[in-house]
Each structure stands twice: as C-alpha cells, then as structure tokens.
Amino acid sequence: CCQAGLGRREDAIDALAAALGRGFRDLDRAQTDDCWQAWRDDERLRDLLGIVEVEGLSRDEGWRTDLRLLARELKRRAYAPFALISEEDFDAEVARLDGEIPDLTDTQIIVAMMRLTAHMDDGHAGIRMPDEDNELTRLVQLEFFLFAEGLFVTAAGPGYARLLGAQVETIGGRTVPEAVAALAPVIARDNDQQVRLEIPVLLRRTAILHGLGLTGDLGQVAL
C-alpha cells in the first residue's frame, strides 16, 4: 500500500505478490483496498487478487473460474496443504472435477469442492453457501445430535414439536451410518470428534444432502 501510495505500480504489485506468497490470508481485504482502484485493469494485479469479470461467463466457465481460485488458495493458505494428499493427487482431483463440471449439478460441484477442502487437514477450512441464495441455504426445521445410541432430534421448529426426542433411522432412504459415511469425507477437521459434531449440522442442509445424492429434491429430505 505504501508503494501504491507513491504511485509505484510495479513495486506495489511485486510487494503484493510477495505478501500473498508468504501466506497473507485476507484476500477479500486486498481486493477491496482503495490503493488498487486506479490500476484494477492491470492483468497481473487482477490475477493476484482473484478479480474476475463474471459478466458474459457461461455457467461452466464460472464454476471453472471458481475452482481454479479455490485450488490456488487452498495451496497458498493451508498450513500443510499436502499432509493428507500429495500435490500430484490433489491436482489430479482438481483436473477431474474441472472436466466433470458440465455433467454435475451445482450442489454436486459444491460438495466436490468441500471434499477438496477437507484434504487440507484444517478444521477452520470450509466451503460456505452464498447467504443470498435461498435454495442453497435452506435448512431442515429440526436439529440433531449424534449420540452413541444413534441420531436423535434435539430441537424442532414450529409444527414439528411432535418429533422432539425421536430417533432418526433413515435419511433419504439411507441408513444413518450410510449417511454419515457419505458426509464424513467432505468435512474438514482437526480430529474425528469434529466430524461427529459437524455431521448433525450438515444433515440439516438440503443442498449438501442433494449434492451427496441423499435426496433428489433440493428443497426437502425424507426422514
């Protein structure tokens, strides 16, 4: 920012590249910093900041752009990006997803991105649905907990009070162990207890269940 304030564009962009290379985490802050406003048409700057002109992109091009940025940022920001998977295997998985995008639903792509993020061995990593998308953020009006005895309803929204305390035996026609096995690989974690805590949360999110094939309807799931 100091170099930018002095009008030294190349030095400023070099400094930005160095900061990003050393793990500067807050890309959103860098993208919106006033010091870059005069140079936002600079190709190198836009590439470093992940600024993309989305107007005119097809659906598949948009997802591929997102995937490239996600893969880059996972490698750049993760403290140990290849603790669980080699870089070669990670790149192969990214390339495979890139090729499959035209044949996948949006929710399947999101779930695949979650699986990529789970490779990072970091419980603070994750994929969040866009807040403004009502379909992707829809929740089942129940809360669950995975006890040693099984999955039970621990809270219920209006009209569902009769289900409080009920044990859930199937989710979209799958047994609870089958649903747990489907969800576990997409959960970034520091340890296995984090997986047990996250599974009941994700079971409320119909978009994730849809992406995993646990429900055929984006808006509801049969319990």
Side-chain angles (χ1 to χ4, degrees), residues 20-179:
L20 294 174
R22 292 171 182 148
F24 180 79
R25 301 184 68 81
D26 196 349
L27 193 62
D28 287 345
R29 171 186 158 195
Q31 286 174 343
T32 58
D33 203 302
D34 290 342
C35 69
W36 305 118
Q37 295 307 312
W39 303 326
R40 287 180 72 85
D41 60 345
D42 186 288
E43 290 282 340
R44 183 178 172 219
L45 177 63
R46 293 174 67 85
D47 182 62
L48 286 170
L49 294 177
I51 297 173
V52 178
E53 183 57 59
V54 297
E55 187 174 351
L57 288 183
S58 69
R59 178 258 191 191
D60 293 351
E61 290 169 341
W63 275 122
R64 284 175 169 144
T65 299
D66 287 342
L67 177 60
R68 285 193 295 271
L69 182 60
L70 173 66
R72 186 194 85 174
E73 289 298 286
L74 288 177
K75 287 185 177 186
R76 188 181 72 80
R77 293 164 61 173
Y79 73 93
F82 307 114
L84 301 179
I85 186 173
S86 69
E87 184 170 8
E88 182 181 14
D89 287 345
F90 178 83
D91 289 343
E93 196 166 328
V94 171
R96 184 167 56 251
L97 175 55
D98 184 272
E100 293 173 350
I101 280 174
D103 300 319
L104 299 177
T105 65
D106 290 349
T107 57
Q108 287 172 326
I109 295 170
I110 291 168
V111 165
M113 288 180 167
M114 292 174 67
R115 190 174 288 108
L116 283 174
T117 306
H119 290 321
M120 294 300 104
D121 193 29
D122 183 353
H124 290 88
I127 299 291
R128 190 175 68 192
M129 299 296 182
D131 293 335
E132 68 277 6
D133 192 313
N134 292 330
E135 285 194 341
L136 293 180
T137 55
R138 187 172 291 147
L139 298 174
V140 173
Q141 296 302 297
L142 302 170
E143 290 184 9
F144 311 103
F145 193 80
L146 191 58
F147 296 94
E149 298 82 0
L151 184 72
F152 287 82
V153 177
T154 56
Y160 295 97
R162 69 188 185 284
L163 298 178
L164 277 172
Q167 181 173 3
V168 180
E169 297 180 343
T170 61
I171 299 159
R174 310 281 188 89
T175 66
V176 169
E178 288 172 338

Side-chain angles (χ1 to χ4, degrees), residues 1-15:
C1 290
C2 292
Q3 296 283 14
L6 293 170
R8 299 171 180 168
R9 174 160 67 172
E10 293 307 315
D11 290 340
I13 296 175
D14 285 344

